[in-house]
């Protein structure tokens, strides 16, 4: 399609405008007028028509490319929003488990301290943990044994 336009443009320039220019340069105004009416105007109409076809084709191609780009953008946007929502949910769930891992042993420790504070030294204290809470429970069990 572009080749058709360029061919029409080259004919317009070579067979129309250049010939009319030579006639004008030679002072042959009647011949230039005749060339304008018989050659340049029809060749210009052809250039304009093929130019319009090319312009419409390029506009359709541009619209098609734009729609494809919008589709890719919307897909990526959906993927990004979905991925972000998933990560936020994952962080919330991990936070809940982390808080439970910290709070549950602390509640056990507080329970044993309350019993010891009330004078109840018969409470069985689980000293199987090896983390910080387990170390506190081990020390608490040792304190309970020494208080008996």
């Amino acid at each position: 399609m572009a080749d058709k336009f360029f061919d029409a443009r080259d004919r317009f320039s070579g067979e129309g405008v250049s010939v009319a220019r030579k006639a004008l340069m030679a002072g042959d105004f009647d011949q230039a007028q005749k060339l304008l009416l018989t050659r340049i105007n029809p060749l210009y109409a052809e250039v304009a028509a093929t130019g319009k076809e090319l312009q419409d084709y390029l506009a359709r191609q541009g619209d098609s490319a734009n729609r494809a780009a919008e589709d890719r953008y919307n897909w990526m946007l959906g993927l990004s929003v979905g991925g972000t929502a998933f990560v936020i949910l994952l962080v919330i769930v991990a936070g809940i488990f982390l808080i439970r891992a910290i709070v549950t042993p602390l509640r056990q420790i507080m329970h044993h301290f309350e019993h010891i504070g009330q004078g109840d030294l018969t409470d069985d204290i689980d000293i199987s943990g090896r983390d910080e809470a387990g170390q506190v429970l081990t020390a608490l069990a040792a304190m309970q044994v020494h208080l008996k």
Side-chain angles (χ1 to χ4, degrees), residues 90-103:
L90 188 64
V91 167
I92 290 171
V93 169
I96 289 170
F97 282 113
L98 180 64
I99 289 171
R100 282 186 183 170
I102 294 170
V103 170

Side-chain angles (χ1 to χ4, degrees), residues 108-109 112 123-145:
Q108 288 177 341
I109 292 169
H112 292 302
D123 213 8
D124 286 331
I125 300 175
D126 179 18
I127 59 170
S128 63
R130 297 292 175 230
D131 57 359
E132 289 80 6
Q135 292 173 359
V136 171
L137 286 171
T138 301
L140 187 59
M143 180 182 79
Q144 184 180 14
V145 168

Side-chain angles (χ1 to χ4, degrees), residues 4-146:
K4 186 178 175 183
F5 169 74
F6 292 131
D7 289 342
R9 184 196 63 184
D10 291 343
R11 278 195 318 280
F12 172 74
S13 178
E15 298 172 16
V17 175
S18 293
V19 175
R21 181 176 178 268
K22 288 177 186 174
L24 286 172
M25 296 296 279
D28 191 356
F29 298 109
D30 291 333
Q31 178 65 19
Q33 179 70 22
K34 183 179 174 184
L35 287 170
L36 175 67
L37 296 174
T38 60
R39 296 294 295 154
I40 293 176
N41 285 345
L43 289 171
Y44 177 77
E46 183 184 354
V47 169
T50 57
K52 179 71 172 132
E53 286 177 23
L54 180 59
Q55 184 179 16
D56 291 345
Y57 170 77
L58 292 174
R60 285 190 307 273
Q61 291 297 101
D63 288 342
S64 176
N66 185 44
R67 280 191 299 277
E70 283 179 356
D71 290 344
R72 283 190 309 272
Y73 168 78
N74 288 330
W75 185 81
M76 289 299 292
L77 180 63
L79 183 65
S80 298
V81 169
T84 301
F86 176 74
V87 168
I88 288 172
L89 181 64
L90 188 64
V91 167
I92 290 171
V93 169
I96 289 170
F97 282 113
L98 180 64
I99 289 171
R100 282 186 183 170
I102 294 170
V103 170
T104 301
L106 287 177
R107 285 187 180 152
Q108 288 177 341
I109 292 169
M110 292 301 298
H111 171 77
H112 292 302
F113 269 119
E114 287 171 1
H115 280 260
I116 292 172
Q118 293 171 359
D120 181 10
L121 302 176
T122 61
D123 213 8
D124 286 331
I125 300 175
D126 179 18
I127 59 170
S128 63
R130 297 292 175 230
D131 57 359
E132 289 80 6
Q135 292 173 359
V136 171
L137 286 171
T138 301
L140 187 59
M143 180 182 79
Q144 184 180 14
V145 168
H146 289 306

